[in-house]
Amino acid sequence: MTSVSERLLELKKKRNAIILAHNYQLPEVQDVADQVGDSLGLSRLAAKTEAEVILFCGVHFMAETAAILAPDKKVLLPDLNAGCPMANMVTPRQLREWRTAHPGAYVITYVNSSAAVKALSDICCTSANAVAVVQQAPEGRELLFVPDRNLGFYASQKSGRPLSLWNGFCPTHERMLPEMAVAAREKHPGAILLAHPECRPGLLAHADAVASTTGILDYCLQSNAKEFIIASEIGMLHPLRRENPDKVFYPLTEVADCPNMKLNTLEKILWALEDMEPEVTVPPDIARQAFQPIKRMLEL
Ligand code: CIZ
Ligand code: SF4
C-alpha cells in the first residue's frame, strides 16, 4: 500500500500542480511541498511557475493573493475553512466607513486581509517590509493602518511616522505574553529571543530582534549563536530546525499554535488534487483593484 504522501506526489505530477506551503504549516505538509516560505514569497513563485495548478497550503487570504498574482492559474486551498481571524477583523464595509471618516487619508493594508479590503487600499505591506512601506508613505496625509494594531504600532515606532491603527490582531500571536519572555530568558540564558511583529508591544520590548518569518529564518541561518527562543507561530520551528541542524530552538510557548493553519492535512491535500477543489477565486474587478496596492508594494 502506498502512503498518502506518495499518492499525492504522484497525483501532483499528473495534475501539473505545484505545492506551496507556508512556514506555519504542519511539518508533514511542509515536507511534501515544492517550496516553503512566507505568503508573499510563495505568491511570487505562484506567479512565475510553469505549473497549471497551485496547491496553496496556508490560509484563505494567501490563496487569494496567489490568485491575484497568478490570474491564469487554478489555485486550490486544501480546506476552505482555513481562514485568518485577523483578516476577518476588518471588512470592506468597515474600511470604506473608516476612509470616509478620514478624508484624504492614505491606507496601508497588511497582506493578512481579504482581497476586497486590499482593493480599497493605497498600498499593501508584509511583516517583512511594513517599516519601509510606512517610511515612504506620502508626507502631509493621515496614515491609516489595517488590520494589525501590533504590526502597525511596531512600524510606527520604527519609522517615527504616526499611524492611526485599526484594532485588529492575531489571536495566536496575542497569546504570547511578556512574562513568558522573562521566564524563557531565565530558563535559557544566552539564547537569542526573536519575535514576530504580530506579538504585543510588551513582548516585543523583550526581544533581541523583531522579524517576519523569513527574517527570523535568515537571522538564525546567519547567526553564530547556538540557541534561540522563537516568539512566533510554532510551525516556524520546523523550517528553523531543518535549516539549522546544529542549533537549538525553543518555542516561547507551545500555545502559539494557529488552528487555522493546521486545518490543511495530507489527506485534504490528496483530496484537493483528486477533486481539483476547493478552488479559491477572486472576482475580476476586485482582483484588478487589489493588484494595484500589491504592485505598489512590490515596486518599492
Ligand atoms: O506574510 C506572511 O507569510 C506572514 C503571515 C507572516 C510572516 O511574517 O511571514
Ligand atoms: Fe492569521 Fe495569526 Fe493564524 Fe497567521 S497565525 S493565519 S495571522 S491567525
Side-chain angles (χ1 to χ4, degrees), residues 112-150:
N112 293 32
S113 53
S114 67
V117 161
K118 289 185 179 82
L120 296 167
S121 311
D122 291 296
I123 193 164
C124 288
C125 74
T126 68
S127 44
N129 61 25
V131 176
V133 168
V134 172
Q135 262 163 352
Q136 67 74 54
E139 301 284 341
R141 281 173 78 179
E142 186 186 2
L143 307 179
L144 306 183
F145 191 95
V146 294
D148 187 4
R149 65 182 184 209
N150 293 335

PDB file of all heavy atoms in Angstrom, residues 112-150:
ATOM      1  N   ASN A 112      -2.288  40.343   5.434  1.00  0.00           N
ATOM      2  CA  ASN A 112      -3.234  39.493   6.161  1.00  0.00           C
ATOM      3  C   ASN A 112      -4.603  40.177   6.153  1.00  0.00           C
ATOM      4  O   ASN A 112      -5.074  40.695   7.173  1.00  0.00           O
ATOM      5  CB  ASN A 112      -2.779  39.271   7.605  1.00  0.00           C
ATOM      6  CG  ASN A 112      -1.508  38.458   7.710  1.00  0.00           C
ATOM      7  OD1 ASN A 112      -0.641  38.528   6.840  1.00  0.00           O
ATOM      8  ND2 ASN A 112      -1.399  37.683   8.768  1.00  0.00           N
ATOM      9  N   SER A 113      -5.234  40.182   4.993  1.00  0.00           N
ATOM     10  CA  SER A 113      -6.511  40.867   4.801  1.00  0.00           C
ATOM     11  C   SER A 113      -7.156  40.267   3.563  1.00  0.00           C
ATOM     12  O   SER A 113      -6.474  39.663   2.728  1.00  0.00           O
ATOM     13  CB  SER A 113      -6.252  42.364   4.590  1.00  0.00           C
ATOM     14  OG  SER A 113      -5.309  42.547   3.540  1.00  0.00           O
ATOM     15  N   SER A 114      -8.465  40.464   3.436  1.00  0.00           N
ATOM     16  CA  SER A 114      -9.147  39.900   2.260  1.00  0.00           C
ATOM     17  C   SER A 114      -8.791  40.697   1.013  1.00  0.00           C
ATOM     18  O   SER A 114      -8.385  41.864   1.097  1.00  0.00           O
ATOM     19  CB  SER A 114     -10.655  39.931   2.484  1.00  0.00           C
ATOM     20  OG  SER A 114     -11.088  41.274   2.525  1.00  0.00           O
ATOM     21  N   ALA A 115      -9.007  40.080  -0.148  1.00  0.00           N
ATOM     22  CA  ALA A 115      -8.761  40.778  -1.416  1.00  0.00           C
ATOM     23  C   ALA A 115      -9.655  42.012  -1.506  1.00  0.00           C
ATOM     24  O   ALA A 115      -9.231  43.057  -2.011  1.00  0.00           O
ATOM     25  CB  ALA A 115      -9.023  39.829  -2.582  1.00  0.00           C
ATOM     26  N   ALA A 116     -10.879  41.909  -0.988  1.00  0.00           N
ATOM     27  CA  ALA A 116     -11.817  43.033  -1.061  1.00  0.00           C
ATOM     28  C   ALA A 116     -11.333  44.218  -0.228  1.00  0.00           C
ATOM     29  O   ALA A 116     -11.557  45.377  -0.585  1.00  0.00           O
ATOM     30  CB  ALA A 116     -13.197  42.579  -0.606  1.00  0.00           C
ATOM     31  N   VAL A 117     -10.670  43.951   0.879  1.00  0.00           N
ATOM     32  CA  VAL A 117     -10.091  45.022   1.701  1.00  0.00           C
ATOM     33  C   VAL A 117      -8.852  45.603   1.008  1.00  0.00           C
ATOM     34  O   VAL A 117      -8.663  46.818   0.956  1.00  0.00           O
ATOM     35  CB  VAL A 117      -9.790  44.506   3.135  1.00  0.00           C
ATOM     36  CG1 VAL A 117      -8.789  45.392   3.863  1.00  0.00           C
ATOM     37  CG2 VAL A 117     -11.087  44.423   3.934  1.00  0.00           C
ATOM     38  N   LYS A 118      -8.038  44.741   0.433  1.00  0.00           N
ATOM     39  CA  LYS A 118      -6.863  45.239  -0.303  1.00  0.00           C
ATOM     40  C   LYS A 118      -7.319  46.174  -1.425  1.00  0.00           C
ATOM     41  O   LYS A 118      -6.683  47.203  -1.700  1.00  0.00           O
ATOM     42  CB  LYS A 118      -6.066  44.074  -0.908  1.00  0.00           C
ATOM     43  CG  LYS A 118      -5.323  43.246   0.129  1.00  0.00           C
ATOM     44  CD  LYS A 118      -4.465  42.183  -0.555  1.00  0.00           C
ATOM     45  CE  LYS A 118      -3.686  41.339   0.452  1.00  0.00           C
ATOM     46  NZ  LYS A 118      -4.487  40.250   1.037  1.00  0.00           N
ATOM     47  N   ALA A 119      -8.440  45.806  -2.054  1.00  0.00           N
ATOM     48  CA  ALA A 119      -8.943  46.595  -3.190  1.00  0.00           C
ATOM     49  C   ALA A 119      -9.268  48.032  -2.778  1.00  0.00           C
ATOM     50  O   ALA A 119      -9.321  48.911  -3.631  1.00  0.00           O
ATOM     51  CB  ALA A 119     -10.165  45.907  -3.782  1.00  0.00           C
ATOM     52  N   LEU A 120      -9.486  48.275  -1.496  1.00  0.00           N
ATOM     53  CA  LEU A 120      -9.830  49.619  -1.013  1.00  0.00           C
ATOM     54  C   LEU A 120      -8.608  50.339  -0.452  1.00  0.00           C
ATOM     55  O   LEU A 120      -8.745  51.353   0.225  1.00  0.00           O
ATOM     56  CB  LEU A 120     -10.886  49.507   0.091  1.00  0.00           C
ATOM     57  CG  LEU A 120     -12.240  48.931  -0.324  1.00  0.00           C
ATOM     58  CD1 LEU A 120     -13.076  48.590   0.906  1.00  0.00           C
ATOM     59  CD2 LEU A 120     -12.966  49.939  -1.206  1.00  0.00           C
ATOM     60  N   SER A 121      -7.418  49.809  -0.698  1.00  0.00           N
ATOM     61  CA  SER A 121      -6.212  50.316  -0.045  1.00  0.00           C
ATOM     62  C   SER A 121      -5.299  51.045  -1.018  1.00  0.00           C
ATOM     63  O   SER A 121      -5.375  50.811  -2.229  1.00  0.00           O
ATOM     64  CB  SER A 121      -5.452  49.152   0.582  1.00  0.00           C
ATOM     65  OG  SER A 121      -6.340  48.364   1.347  1.00  0.00           O
ATOM     66  N   ASP A 122      -4.421  51.893  -0.468  1.00  0.00           N
ATOM     67  CA  ASP A 122      -3.436  52.563  -1.310  1.00  0.00           C
ATOM     68  C   ASP A 122      -2.212  51.695  -1.532  1.00  0.00           C
ATOM     69  O   ASP A 122      -1.638  51.676  -2.616  1.00  0.00           O
ATOM     70  CB  ASP A 122      -3.030  53.894  -0.663  1.00  0.00           C
ATOM     71  CG  ASP A 122      -4.178  54.881  -0.705  1.00  0.00           C
ATOM     72  OD1 ASP A 122      -4.575  55.267  -1.811  1.00  0.00           O
ATOM     73  OD2 ASP A 122      -4.709  55.229   0.367  1.00  0.00           O
ATOM     74  N   ILE A 123      -1.784  51.027  -0.474  1.00  0.00           N
ATOM     75  CA  ILE A 123      -0.596  50.177  -0.595  1.00  0.00           C
ATOM     76  C   ILE A 123      -0.705  49.022   0.395  1.00  0.00           C
ATOM     77  O   ILE A 123      -1.352  49.160   1.444  1.00  0.00           O
ATOM     78  CB  ILE A 123       0.704  51.004  -0.375  1.00  0.00           C
ATOM     79  CG1 ILE A 123       1.952  50.212  -0.809  1.00  0.00           C
ATOM     80  CG2 ILE A 123       0.828  51.488   1.078  1.00  0.00           C
ATOM     81  CD1 ILE A 123       3.201  51.063  -0.998  1.00  0.00           C
ATOM     82  N   CYS A 124      -0.103  47.895   0.059  1.00  0.00           N
ATOM     83  CA  CYS A 124      -0.045  46.759   0.980  1.00  0.00           C
ATOM     84  C   CYS A 124       1.327  46.702   1.629  1.00  0.00           C
ATOM     85  O   CYS A 124       2.279  47.348   1.169  1.00  0.00           O
ATOM     86  CB  CYS A 124      -0.307  45.452   0.245  1.00  0.00           C
ATOM     87  SG  CYS A 124      -2.022  45.257  -0.239  1.00  0.00           S
ATOM     88  N   CYS A 125       1.432  45.940   2.696  1.00  0.00           N
ATOM     89  CA  CYS A 125       2.743  45.661   3.285  1.00  0.00           C
ATOM     90  C   CYS A 125       2.714  44.252   3.839  1.00  0.00           C
ATOM     91  O   CYS A 125       1.645  43.686   4.048  1.00  0.00           O
ATOM     92  CB  CYS A 125       3.084  46.669   4.376  1.00  0.00           C
ATOM     93  SG  CYS A 125       2.168  46.429   5.901  1.00  0.00           S
ATOM     94  N   THR A 126       3.895  43.690   4.058  1.00  0.00           N
ATOM     95  CA  THR A 126       4.014  42.406   4.754  1.00  0.00           C
ATOM     96  C   THR A 126       4.709  42.708   6.080  1.00  0.00           C
ATOM     97  O   THR A 126       5.124  43.849   6.324  1.00  0.00           O
ATOM     98  CB  THR A 126       4.884  41.410   3.961  1.00  0.00           C
ATOM     99  OG1 THR A 126       6.228  41.907   3.975  1.00  0.00           O
ATOM    100  CG2 THR A 126       4.420  41.270   2.531  1.00  0.00           C
ATOM    101  N   SER A 127       4.884  41.668   6.888  1.00  0.00           N
ATOM    102  CA  SER A 127       5.602  41.927   8.143  1.00  0.00           C
ATOM    103  C   SER A 127       7.085  42.179   7.850  1.00  0.00           C
ATOM    104  O   SER A 127       7.789  42.758   8.661  1.00  0.00           O
ATOM    105  CB  SER A 127       5.413  40.782   9.129  1.00  0.00           C
ATOM    106  OG  SER A 127       5.542  39.557   8.494  1.00  0.00           O
ATOM    107  N   ALA A 128       7.548  41.774   6.662  1.00  0.00           N
ATOM    108  CA  ALA A 128       8.958  41.997   6.320  1.00  0.00           C
ATOM    109  C   ALA A 128       9.217  43.439   5.866  1.00  0.00           C
ATOM    110  O   ALA A 128      10.304  43.963   6.069  1.00  0.00           O
ATOM    111  CB  ALA A 128       9.383  41.016   5.231  1.00  0.00           C
ATOM    112  N   ASN A 129       8.237  44.078   5.240  1.00  0.00           N
ATOM    113  CA  ASN A 129       8.510  45.413   4.682  1.00  0.00           C
ATOM    114  C   ASN A 129       7.647  46.521   5.275  1.00  0.00           C
ATOM    115  O   ASN A 129       7.652  47.648   4.753  1.00  0.00           O
ATOM    116  CB  ASN A 129       8.374  45.379   3.150  1.00  0.00           C
ATOM    117  CG  ASN A 129       6.966  44.983   2.703  1.00  0.00           C
ATOM    118  OD1 ASN A 129       6.008  45.167   3.438  1.00  0.00           O
ATOM    119  ND2 ASN A 129       6.846  44.443   1.512  1.00  0.00           N
ATOM    120  N   ALA A 130       6.897  46.250   6.348  1.00  0.00           N
ATOM    121  CA  ALA A 130       5.971  47.248   6.903  1.00  0.00           C
ATOM    122  C   ALA A 130       6.681  48.559   7.241  1.00  0.00           C
ATOM    123  O   ALA A 130       6.165  49.644   6.944  1.00  0.00           O
ATOM    124  CB  ALA A 130       5.273  46.674   8.142  1.00  0.00           C
ATOM    125  N   VAL A 131       7.867  48.466   7.839  1.00  0.00           N
ATOM    126  CA  VAL A 131       8.569  49.691   8.256  1.00  0.00           C
ATOM    127  C   VAL A 131       8.922  50.520   7.017  1.00  0.00           C
ATOM    128  O   VAL A 131       8.679  51.739   6.975  1.00  0.00           O
ATOM    129  CB  VAL A 131       9.834  49.353   9.084  1.00  0.00           C
ATOM    130  CG1 VAL A 131      10.617  50.616   9.434  1.00  0.00           C
ATOM    131  CG2 VAL A 131       9.452  48.590  10.359  1.00  0.00           C
ATOM    132  N   ALA A 132       9.438  49.880   5.988  1.00  0.00           N
ATOM    133  CA  ALA A 132       9.811  50.589   4.755  1.00  0.00           C
ATOM    134  C   ALA A 132       8.595  51.189   4.072  1.00  0.00           C
ATOM    135  O   ALA A 132       8.644  52.316   3.566  1.00  0.00           O
ATOM    136  CB  ALA A 132      10.541  49.633   3.812  1.00  0.00           C
ATOM    137  N   VAL A 133       7.496  50.454   4.057  1.00  0.00           N
ATOM    138  CA  VAL A 133       6.274  50.962   3.414  1.00  0.00           C
ATOM    139  C   VAL A 133       5.781  52.209   4.152  1.00  0.00           C
ATOM    140  O   VAL A 133       5.414  53.206   3.531  1.00  0.00           O
ATOM    141  CB  VAL A 133       5.181  49.858   3.364  1.00  0.00           C
ATOM    142  CG1 VAL A 133       3.825  50.434   2.983  1.00  0.00           C
ATOM    143  CG2 VAL A 133       5.576  48.763   2.372  1.00  0.00           C
ATOM    144  N   VAL A 134       5.801  52.156   5.478  1.00  0.00           N
ATOM    145  CA  VAL A 134       5.344  53.313   6.258  1.00  0.00           C
ATOM    146  C   VAL A 134       6.303  54.492   6.061  1.00  0.00           C
ATOM    147  O   VAL A 134       5.862  55.636   5.886  1.00  0.00           O
ATOM    148  CB  VAL A 134       5.207  52.941   7.759  1.00  0.00           C
ATOM    149  CG1 VAL A 134       4.926  54.165   8.605  1.00  0.00           C
ATOM    150  CG2 VAL A 134       4.088  51.907   7.945  1.00  0.00           C
ATOM    151  N   GLN A 135       7.597  54.213   6.028  1.00  0.00           N
ATOM    152  CA  GLN A 135       8.589  55.285   5.844  1.00  0.00           C
ATOM    153  C   GLN A 135       8.381  56.055   4.548  1.00  0.00           C
ATOM    154  O   GLN A 135       8.555  57.255   4.495  1.00  0.00           O
ATOM    155  CB  GLN A 135      10.005  54.693   5.837  1.00  0.00           C
ATOM    156  CG  GLN A 135      10.682  54.806   7.179  1.00  0.00           C
ATOM    157  CD  GLN A 135      11.890  53.870   7.295  1.00  0.00           C
ATOM    158  OE1 GLN A 135      12.137  53.028   6.436  1.00  0.00           O
ATOM    159  NE2 GLN A 135      12.629  54.034   8.385  1.00  0.00           N
ATOM    160  N   GLN A 136       8.007  55.328   3.474  1.00  0.00           N
ATOM    161  CA  GLN A 136       7.873  56.006   2.181  1.00  0.00           C
ATOM    162  C   GLN A 136       6.470  56.560   1.932  1.00  0.00           C
ATOM    163  O   GLN A 136       6.218  57.105   0.867  1.00  0.00           O
ATOM    164  CB  GLN A 136       8.326  55.084   1.043  1.00  0.00           C
ATOM    165  CG  GLN A 136       7.445  53.866   0.828  1.00  0.00           C
ATOM    166  CD  GLN A 136       6.111  54.206   0.163  1.00  0.00           C
ATOM    167  OE1 GLN A 136       6.086  54.831  -0.888  1.00  0.00           O
ATOM    168  NE2 GLN A 136       5.008  53.799   0.795  1.00  0.00           N
ATOM    169  N   ALA A 137       5.577  56.421   2.904  1.00  0.00           N
ATOM    170  CA  ALA A 137       4.205  56.914   2.706  1.00  0.00           C
ATOM    171  C   ALA A 137       4.231  58.429   2.521  1.00  0.00           C
ATOM    172  O   ALA A 137       5.108  59.105   3.056  1.00  0.00           O
ATOM    173  CB  ALA A 137       3.348  56.529   3.909  1.00  0.00           C
ATOM    174  N   PRO A 138       3.285  58.978   1.736  1.00  0.00           N
ATOM    175  CA  PRO A 138       3.313  60.410   1.460  1.00  0.00           C
ATOM    176  C   PRO A 138       3.263  61.257   2.739  1.00  0.00           C
ATOM    177  O   PRO A 138       2.559  60.901   3.687  1.00  0.00           O
ATOM    178  CB  PRO A 138       2.064  60.637   0.605  1.00  0.00           C
ATOM    179  CG  PRO A 138       1.288  59.376   0.637  1.00  0.00           C
ATOM    180  CD  PRO A 138       2.187  58.280   1.080  1.00  0.00           C
ATOM    181  N   GLU A 139       4.025  62.348   2.724  1.00  0.00           N
ATOM    182  CA  GLU A 139       4.023  63.286   3.861  1.00  0.00           C
ATOM    183  C   GLU A 139       2.740  64.110   3.792  1.00  0.00           C
ATOM    184  O   GLU A 139       2.173  64.287   2.719  1.00  0.00           O
ATOM    185  CB  GLU A 139       5.220  64.242   3.753  1.00  0.00           C
ATOM    186  CG  GLU A 139       6.586  63.564   3.727  1.00  0.00           C
ATOM    187  CD  GLU A 139       7.045  63.070   5.091  1.00  0.00           C
ATOM    188  OE1 GLU A 139       6.514  63.549   6.112  1.00  0.00           O
ATOM    189  OE2 GLU A 139       7.930  62.188   5.123  1.00  0.00           O
ATOM    190  N   GLY A 140       2.308  64.599   4.938  1.00  0.00           N
ATOM    191  CA  GLY A 140       1.186  65.534   4.958  1.00  0.00           C
ATOM    192  C   GLY A 140      -0.177  64.883   4.814  1.00  0.00           C
ATOM    193  O   GLY A 140      -1.175  65.578   4.644  1.00  0.00           O
ATOM    194  N   ARG A 141      -0.214  63.541   4.844  1.00  0.00           N
ATOM    195  CA  ARG A 141      -1.517  62.861   4.809  1.00  0.00           C
ATOM    196  C   ARG A 141      -1.629  61.987   6.037  1.00  0.00           C
ATOM    197  O   ARG A 141      -0.626  61.427   6.497  1.00  0.00           O
ATOM    198  CB  ARG A 141      -1.628  61.984   3.555  1.00  0.00           C
ATOM    199  CG  ARG A 141      -1.958  62.775   2.305  1.00  0.00           C
ATOM    200  CD  ARG A 141      -1.882  61.894   1.088  1.00  0.00           C
ATOM    201  NE  ARG A 141      -3.064  61.028   0.943  1.00  0.00           N
ATOM    202  CZ  ARG A 141      -3.224  60.172  -0.083  1.00  0.00           C
ATOM    203  NH1 ARG A 141      -2.300  60.077  -1.020  1.00  0.00           N
ATOM    204  NH2 ARG A 141      -4.302  59.426  -0.163  1.00  0.00           N
ATOM    205  N   GLU A 142      -2.839  61.862   6.549  1.00  0.00           N
ATOM    206  CA  GLU A 142      -3.029  60.938   7.659  1.00  0.00           C
ATOM    207  C   GLU A 142      -2.812  59.521   7.134  1.00  0.00           C
ATOM    208  O   GLU A 142      -3.211  59.192   6.016  1.00  0.00           O
ATOM    209  CB  GLU A 142      -4.441  61.069   8.240  1.00  0.00           C
ATOM    210  CG  GLU A 142      -4.613  60.222   9.491  1.00  0.00           C
ATOM    211  CD  GLU A 142      -6.047  60.196  10.054  1.00  0.00           C
ATOM    212  OE1 GLU A 142      -6.934  60.828   9.441  1.00  0.00           O
ATOM    213  OE2 GLU A 142      -6.245  59.525  11.071  1.00  0.00           O
ATOM    214  N   LEU A 143      -2.183  58.678   7.948  1.00  0.00           N
ATOM    215  CA  LEU A 143      -1.918  57.296   7.530  1.00  0.00           C
ATOM    216  C   LEU A 143      -2.789  56.341   8.347  1.00  0.00           C
ATOM    217  O   LEU A 143      -2.718  56.318   9.577  1.00  0.00           O
ATOM    218  CB  LEU A 143      -0.437  56.965   7.734  1.00  0.00           C
ATOM    219  CG  LEU A 143       0.586  57.923   7.100  1.00  0.00           C
ATOM    220  CD1 LEU A 143       2.013  57.470   7.404  1.00  0.00           C
ATOM    221  CD2 LEU A 143       0.372  58.033   5.582  1.00  0.00           C
ATOM    222  N   LEU A 144      -3.617  55.580   7.642  1.00  0.00           N
ATOM    223  CA  LEU A 144      -4.445  54.569   8.307  1.00  0.00           C
ATOM    224  C   LEU A 144      -3.799  53.210   8.079  1.00  0.00           C
ATOM    225  O   LEU A 144      -3.356  52.908   6.975  1.00  0.00           O
ATOM    226  CB  LEU A 144      -5.865  54.558   7.721  1.00  0.00           C
ATOM    227  CG  LEU A 144      -6.647  55.869   7.689  1.00  0.00           C
ATOM    228  CD1 LEU A 144      -8.055  55.628   7.131  1.00  0.00           C
ATOM    229  CD2 LEU A 144      -6.734  56.509   9.068  1.00  0.00           C
ATOM    230  N   PHE A 145      -3.761  52.410   9.130  1.00  0.00           N
ATOM    231  CA  PHE A 145      -3.128  51.087   9.029  1.00  0.00           C
ATOM    232  C   PHE A 145      -4.128  50.015   9.450  1.00  0.00           C
ATOM    233  O   PHE A 145      -4.651  50.056  10.565  1.00  0.00           O
ATOM    234  CB  PHE A 145      -1.876  51.051   9.920  1.00  0.00           C
ATOM    235  CG  PHE A 145      -1.009  49.837   9.705  1.00  0.00           C
ATOM    236  CD1 PHE A 145       0.081  49.894   8.846  1.00  0.00           C
ATOM    237  CD2 PHE A 145      -1.277  48.639  10.358  1.00  0.00           C
ATOM    238  CE1 PHE A 145       0.886  48.776   8.632  1.00  0.00           C
ATOM    239  CE2 PHE A 145      -0.487  47.511  10.149  1.00  0.00           C
ATOM    240  CZ  PHE A 145       0.607  47.592   9.281  1.00  0.00           C
ATOM    241  N   VAL A 146      -4.393  49.039   8.569  1.00  0.00           N
ATOM    242  CA  VAL A 146      -5.287  47.913   8.888  1.00  0.00           C
ATOM    243  C   VAL A 146      -4.591  46.590   8.551  1.00  0.00           C
ATOM    244  O   VAL A 146      -3.723  46.574   7.677  1.00  0.00           O
ATOM    245  CB  VAL A 146      -6.617  47.971   8.090  1.00  0.00           C
ATOM    246  CG1 VAL A 146      -7.464  49.152   8.480  1.00  0.00           C
ATOM    247  CG2 VAL A 146      -6.404  47.917   6.597  1.00  0.00           C
ATOM    248  N   PRO A 147      -5.020  45.456   9.139  1.00  0.00           N
ATOM    249  CA  PRO A 147      -5.851  45.388  10.334  1.00  0.00           C
ATOM    250  C   PRO A 147      -5.028  45.232  11.624  1.00  0.00           C
ATOM    251  O   PRO A 147      -5.603  45.340  12.701  1.00  0.00           O
ATOM    252  CB  PRO A 147      -6.674  44.112  10.107  1.00  0.00           C
ATOM    253  CG  PRO A 147      -5.854  43.249   9.200  1.00  0.00           C
ATOM    254  CD  PRO A 147      -4.849  44.141   8.503  1.00  0.00           C
ATOM    255  N   ASP A 148      -3.721  44.993  11.545  1.00  0.00           N
ATOM    256  CA  ASP A 148      -2.972  44.555  12.739  1.00  0.00           C
ATOM    257  C   ASP A 148      -2.429  45.722  13.572  1.00  0.00           C
ATOM    258  O   ASP A 148      -1.457  46.366  13.184  1.00  0.00           O
ATOM    259  CB  ASP A 148      -1.810  43.641  12.305  1.00  0.00           C
ATOM    260  CG  ASP A 148      -1.099  43.012  13.495  1.00  0.00           C
ATOM    261  OD1 ASP A 148      -1.554  43.221  14.645  1.00  0.00           O
ATOM    262  OD2 ASP A 148      -0.080  42.322  13.280  1.00  0.00           O
ATOM    263  N   ARG A 149      -3.029  45.937  14.730  1.00  0.00           N
ATOM    264  CA  ARG A 149      -2.588  47.026  15.606  1.00  0.00           C
ATOM    265  C   ARG A 149      -1.150  46.820  16.102  1.00  0.00           C
ATOM    266  O   ARG A 149      -0.431  47.788  16.352  1.00  0.00           O
ATOM    267  CB  ARG A 149      -3.536  47.156  16.809  1.00  0.00           C
ATOM    268  CG  ARG A 149      -3.517  45.944  17.720  1.00  0.00           C
ATOM    269  CD  ARG A 149      -4.503  46.065  18.873  1.00  0.00           C
ATOM    270  NE  ARG A 149      -4.358  44.914  19.753  1.00  0.00           N
ATOM    271  CZ  ARG A 149      -5.329  44.403  20.483  1.00  0.00           C
ATOM    272  NH1 ARG A 149      -6.533  44.926  20.456  1.00  0.00           N
ATOM    273  NH2 ARG A 149      -5.108  43.362  21.266  1.00  0.00           N
ATOM    274  N   ASN A 150      -0.743  45.554  16.253  1.00  0.00           N
ATOM    275  CA  ASN A 150       0.613  45.316  16.779  1.00  0.00           C
ATOM    276  C   ASN A 150       1.686  45.606  15.732  1.00  0.00           C
ATOM    277  O   ASN A 150       2.669  46.289  16.012  1.00  0.00           O
ATOM    278  CB  ASN A 150       0.757  43.882  17.290  1.00  0.00           C
ATOM    279  CG  ASN A 150      -0.094  43.625  18.526  1.00  0.00           C
ATOM    280  OD1 ASN A 150      -0.413  44.560  19.269  1.00  0.00           O
ATOM    281  ND2 ASN A 150      -0.473  42.385  18.751  1.00  0.00           N
TER     282      ASN A 150
END
